[in-house]
Amino acid sequence: MVLKNGWPDRKKICSGAFFPCMQGRLSYSANANSFYRSGENEFPLGGREQKLSSISVPTQLPSRVIPTAKKRVAKLTLWPLVAATFFMVSGGTYGTEEIIHGAGYGHGILILLFLPVLWCLPTAFMIGELSSALPQEGGYYAWVRRGLGNFWGFQEAWLSLAASIFDMAIYPTLFVFYLRQMSPWFGLGNHGIYAGLFVVATCAILNLLGIRVVGITSLWLFFLLSAPFAVIVVMAPLKIGALTEAHAAPAATGLGLLGGVLVAMWNYMGWDNASTIAQEVERPQRTYPRAMMAAVVLVALTYVLPFTAVYLAGVPSSTFGEDGSWATVAGALGGRIVGFEWLRFLIVLGGMMSAFGMFNALVMSYSRLPLAMARDGMLPKFFGKISSRTRAPYVAIIVCATCWALCLGLGFRRLVTLDIMLYGISLMLEFVTLVALRIRDPELKRGFRVPGGLTGAISCGVFPLLLLTLAMVESNHETVLGLNGLVFGALIIVAGFLIYFVTGKLKIRRTKPVRKEDLEELEIA
């Protein structure tokens, strides 16, 4: 190689002869005596080249310059999130029979139409803003902890997990209720308990397989259980007034107008449950507000359209006297084909899918609370263990599913008063958090804002608060384990206070301080 004035020839460099992977190799050293070696000859390099002596150049070109990224874990997109929210809140038209039976068609349909405006939309607005501002694992627990501190964050999670003990046992029981209508064998002995355990175990396995599996399952279950009611809506205009006399029932007695409102509130509860999986949702700042609005409309239509259809067909409101009345109505509308009540069968099958879908989606929601609490020091660290492949919190899923399975034999019924009380208090904490963050952290980045500034944020919780107050004052008297439902709920609330202070004194709970930097790191990620 020819050097010009002690420097390598630029043409040789440009032609590639200078690079060792082409002709020879470079030998770098930290001392002043550096050499260029080409073939058998060595040439001293000038002073400028010595400055490059600390740079390491490979003698061969690597096979892959940039390593491939780790496989990306699938996240929940818009419509699977809408379907999961649908099951966390509603599960379909099932469970609304008492509204029409107690309040009649006119008042019942009005309740189902106006309650979303006064109860669901304000809640959806609040969830839309907080989930877009704080898309953290644990959802509403993380919001309250950020806005009101560790104590109230713990109470928010405690109320939800305590209520789940009584609420989650209902869905396998409801699954067995519809299963018995298909096969009375499941009503004998412990067969129903075994069927309920099958629901718990299957939903736990689906959740262990990852959030995407749960979302897609919810989407398919939504389409399948909605199909029979779509058939009812289509067939009812063809039989206007035809079923008035043939399927008359005794006059409606029972809940009345206020009771119908309470049951409707219960059927429209749970909008914040979807927030606990925020870090596993694709673009949560944008997806959550859209999913909440879509789910509100979808749930309202699912309730209103079938009742409007059977009203036109002449089915008396007194027909809906108990759970499972939709199967009777479907049998009357669909008739028999070769002696088989096909539409009744589809409605019963849909009831099983509804119960399964609700339990499956709520396992996904509740299991993220122990995960988030363990990361914050509220629970032991082993609750924070997740699968390296699916990112599912397998310890939390297994522990929660075991607790719910143990409650199957207790025979809990739908506890409207207790559910409204515990859910209502946790919901009010979220509305207070919305206002607190507007005041204390106005610069917090929010992908969606409740309209109307601070006044709009404050007024957003007014109607839900009034409805909750009315429900608590005028609710029916329920008993749980021999105690009045309201008294039992108060004991659960007091227990949350005691557990927080006792675990702190015994140093079982090692709570981490709330840091704004955690959110900044999340946004960067």
Side-chain angles (χ1 to χ4, degrees):
M1 180 177 182
V2 181
L3 298 179
K4 292 185 178 181
N5 300 322
W7 292 86
D9 192 336
R10 182 177 295 178
K11 293 182 178 179
K12 295 290 184 180
I13 295 176
C14 296
S15 65
F18 182 78
F19 292 96
C21 59
M22 303 293 292
Q23 299 291 336
R25 60 191 176 94
L26 280 172
S27 175
Y28 292 97
S29 174
N31 22 28
N33 298 321
S34 297
F35 295 92
Y36 171 75
R37 179 179 297 148
S38 178
E40 297 297 326
N41 301 319
E42 293 183 350
F43 303 93
L45 298 178
R48 181 180 297 181
E49 283 72 28
Q50 294 177 17
K51 296 180 180 179
L52 302 176
S53 62
S54 63
I55 302 176
S56 176
V57 178
T59 58
Q60 293 183 352
L61 289 175
S63 58
R64 289 185 299 177
V65 178
I66 301 176
T68 56
K70 187 182 289 186
K71 186 178 179 181
R72 186 169 178 265
V73 178
K75 292 190 174 185
L76 215 58
T77 52
L78 175 61
W79 289 110
L81 178 61
V82 171
T85 304
F86 172 84
F87 280 106
M88 293 175 191
V89 174
S90 165
T93 315
Y94 304 95
T96 56
E97 295 93 336
E98 285 185 272
I99 301 171
I100 301 301
H101 178 252
Y105 278 113
H107 290 155
I109 292 175
L110 285 177
I111 290 171
L112 292 172
L113 279 174
F114 283 101
L115 210 57
V117 178
L118 302 177
W119 172 251
C120 301
L121 277 181
T123 306
F125 279 154
M126 177 267 293
I127 294 169
E129 174 167 332
L130 292 178
S131 59
S132 66
L134 301 169
Q136 295 176 270
E137 204 81 345
Y140 48 83
Y141 152 76
W143 305 339
V144 176
R145 179 174 177 266
R146 170 69 182 273
L148 305 180
N150 282 320
F151 174 79
W152 290 113
F154 182 89
Q155 302 309 317
E156 179 78 4
W158 163 255
L159 290 172
S160 298
L161 290 174
S164 76
I165 295 297
F166 305 96
D167 198 36
M168 292 294 280
I170 296 172
Y171 305 117
T173 304
L174 191 60
F175 178 91
V176 175
F177 169 78
Y178 284 104
L179 185 61
R180 285 202 308 266
Q181 295 190 35
M182 300 180 68
S183 174
W185 182 81
F186 287 98
L188 303 176
N190 292 324
H191 298 164
I193 297 292
Y194 298 144
L197 289 174
F198 167 79
V199 173
V200 175
T202 305
C203 291
I205 292 171
L206 288 174
N207 275 268
L208 291 172
L209 293 175
I211 193 170
R212 182 71 176 170
V213 173
V214 179
I216 295 300
T217 303
S218 298
L219 195 59
W220 278 106
L221 287 175
F222 165 73
F223 287 124
L224 291 174
L225 73 88
S226 298
F229 288 99
V231 173
I232 289 177
V233 172
V234 171
M235 290 185 62
L238 304 178
K239 298 188 176 184
I240 293 179
L243 304 178
T244 304
E245 298 297 334
H247 302 278
T253 58
L255 289 177
L257 179 60
L258 184 58
V261 172
L262 292 178
V263 175
M265 288 176 64
W266 188 86
N267 279 278
Y268 275 122
M269 286 193 328
W271 298 101
D272 53 351
N273 285 326
S275 68
T276 61
I277 54 173
Q279 285 191 1
E280 300 166 82
V281 173
E282 195 76 42
R283 294 185 296 177
Q285 291 91 341
R286 180 182 179 185
T287 303
Y288 267 104
R290 297 167 63 193
M292 289 300 108
M293 300 308 164
V296 168
V297 174
L298 196 63
V299 171
L301 291 177
T302 302
Y303 288 158
V304 171
L305 290 180
F307 280 124
T308 304
V310 296
Y311 168 72
L312 295 176
V315 177
S317 61
S318 53
T319 304
F320 298 98
E322 57 184 0
D323 289 337
S325 299
W326 275 111
T328 304
V329 174
L333 278 173
R336 295 175 179 268
I337 298 179
V338 196
F340 177 64
E341 292 183 314
W342 61 278
L343 191 53
R344 177 191 176 92
F345 172 81
L346 292 178
I347 289 291
V348 171
L349 190 62
M352 294 168 57
M353 289 188 286
S354 172
F356 184 93
M358 286 189 286
F359 190 88
N360 190 38
L362 288 170
V363 169
M364 176 178 66
S365 172
Y366 286 130
S367 62
R368 269 57 181 183
L369 288 176
L371 169 65
M373 294 176 75
R375 290 175 176 176
D376 295 333
M378 299 276 194
L379 290 178
K381 290 183 179 179
F382 68 87
F383 280 103
K385 292 185 178 181
I386 59 175
S387 167
S388 58
R389 186 174 64 88
T390 64
R391 314 301 294 173
Y394 62 90
V395 172
I397 290 172
I398 293 172
V399 171
C400 289
T402 302
C403 293
W404 296 325
L406 293 174
C407 294
L408 288 181
L410 298 180
F412 290 129
R413 298 174 294 104
R414 182 172 59 182
L415 303 172
V416 176
T417 301
L418 182 63
D419 275 352
I420 289 178
M421 181 180 185
L422 299 181
Y423 174 76
I425 293 173
S426 63
L427 188 68
M428 286 301 107
L429 285 176
E430 295 165 30
F431 278 111
V432 172
T433 299
L434 174 69
V435 177
L437 287 175
R438 283 286 189 95
I439 296 172
R440 293 170 50 186
D441 205 347
E443 302 302 321
L444 182 65
K445 184 178 178 182
R446 296 167 171 85
F448 171 83
R449 282 179 176 267
V450 175
L454 182 60
T455 303
I458 296 173
S459 60
C460 192
V462 171
F463 281 116
L465 178 60
L466 292 176
L467 286 171
L468 286 169
T469 304
L470 179 66
M472 299 308 301
V473 172
E474 299 292 339
S475 59
N476 293 328
H477 294 290
E478 295 174 342
T479 57
V480 185
L481 302 179
L483 293 175
N484 178 274
L486 293 176
V487 174
F488 191 83
L491 291 177
I492 290 177
I493 294 169
V494 173
F497 293 179
L498 295 176
I499 290 173
Y500 182 85
F501 290 116
V502 170
T503 54
K505 289 290 185 182
L506 299 177
K507 296 184 178 180
I508 298 173
R509 174 178 50 80
R510 301 179 181 274
T511 309
K512 297 178 181 179
V514 181
R515 299 189 313 134
K516 292 185 179 181
E517 290 80 4
D518 294 338
L519 181 62
E520 294 173 359
E521 293 172 3
L522 177 64
E523 290 176 346
I524 293 173

